[in-house]
Amino acid sequence: MHIFAIANQKGGVGKTTTAVNLAAALAANGQRTLLVDLDPQGNATMGSGVEKRSLKSSVYQVLLQLATLEQARVISPAGKFDVLPANRDLAGAEVELVDLEMREMRLKTALAGHKGDYDFVLIDCPPSLSMLTLNGLCAAHGVIIPMQCEYYALEGLSDLVNTIKKVHANLNRELKIIGLLRVMYDPRNTLSTQVSAQLEEHFGDKVFKTLVPRNVRLAEAPSYGIPGVLFDKAAKGAQAYMAFAVEMIDRVNSWKEPL
């Protein structure tokens, strides 16, 4: 079971879009997949077609050990992958976790008994270094960083890399950067191509080959509760995420030893 946190401290960079579409694309390629929504906004939950307002239990109850993963997980109707959903209850977890023992390890503990259930677990982290993000990073084997090819994204990337190094040193020795995914890419934009080239120069094979273009169909899909890769399979964004899933599977299979 490979556990990947999808993280970036900058908001609006396509973390949730990447999490939902990669989960659906992996499932479409026969991979048993769980998507964990760690954002109180619950966008990954809604984008997977799960109604967050009618949940009996969610990741909030799992983190506080009021429910098990089996009790809280649901199936994405369209995507056919499992979802550990989130809603506004999760906003309170930030405060409630502070005084609890092993507060950074709650998600890792919840996932520990399910190693045989899934091939991939994807964790959609909120856009801040909070206790929730820390739970995601402590549970994960690696981090997938979606980023736009623009100047501010480069600035934020150094902060995120430093954060990952600190978590690796102090809390999770397994954690490493799996790769950078370039999203909302516009080849007509000179800055996009320059930043893309800089990323390849500095990070080498840590940069995924797949480029996800700006695509209105990906943006429309969440309002229908259907992952973009299934909403319009012919759209360039959908095809890019399907290609990314294949690249992800190939990368995992190429590792000489499991994470």
Side-chain angles (χ1 to χ4, degrees), residues 75-226:
I75 297 175
S76 166
K80 305 305 179 192
F81 54 89
D82 282 1
V83 182
L84 183 52
N87 55 23
R88 287 182 181 174
D89 290 349
L90 193 55
E94 199 71 45
V95 177
E96 293 173 62
L97 283 169
V98 169
D99 297 323
L100 299 179
E101 289 183 18
M102 302 290 287
R103 59 191 180 188
E104 304 95 347
M105 302 295 176
R106 291 297 177 111
L107 181 59
K108 184 174 185 176
T109 302
L111 293 171
H114 296 272
K115 290 185 177 178
D117 292 0
Y118 300 105
D119 300 305
F120 287 91
V121 176
L122 305 177
I123 304 169
D124 184 30
C125 296
S128 62
L129 183 58
S130 60
M131 188 58 65
L132 295 172
T133 301
L134 208 52
N135 260 272
L137 294 178
C138 287
H141 299 130
V143 185
I144 297 169
I145 306 173
M147 61 178 295
Q148 292 173 259
C149 292
E150 58 178 37
Y151 176 73
Y152 288 130
L154 279 180
E155 287 285 293
L157 181 60
S158 60
D159 293 337
L160 180 59
V161 170
N162 287 333
T163 297
I164 292 168
K165 284 179 180 176
K166 287 176 184 174
V167 174
H168 171 83
N170 299 306
L171 293 167
N172 181 3
R173 299 297 296 176
E174 291 184 305
L175 189 68
K176 61 183 179 182
I177 295 173
I178 300 300
L180 283 76
L181 176 67
R182 292 162 289 179
V183 299
M184 304 182 204
Y185 183 75
D186 185 351
R188 298 167 299 177
N189 186 322
T190 306
L191 182 61
S192 280
T193 54
Q194 287 174 344
V195 172
S196 177
Q198 278 183 290
L199 288 173
E200 288 177 337
E201 184 182 329
H202 286 94
F203 290 93
D205 60 3
K206 288 284 187 189
V207 180
F208 290 107
K209 292 182 175 66
T210 305
L211 285 160
V212 181
R214 285 191 180 276
N215 188 247
V216 69
R217 300 297 276 169
L218 287 178
E220 288 174 354
S223 63
Y224 294 89
I226 302 172

Side-chain angles (χ1 to χ4, degrees), residues 234-250:
K236 286 184 178 179
Q239 292 175 349
Y241 275 116
M242 289 300 287
F244 178 46
V246 172
E247 184 178 358
M248 195 75 239
I249 294 166
D250 288 345

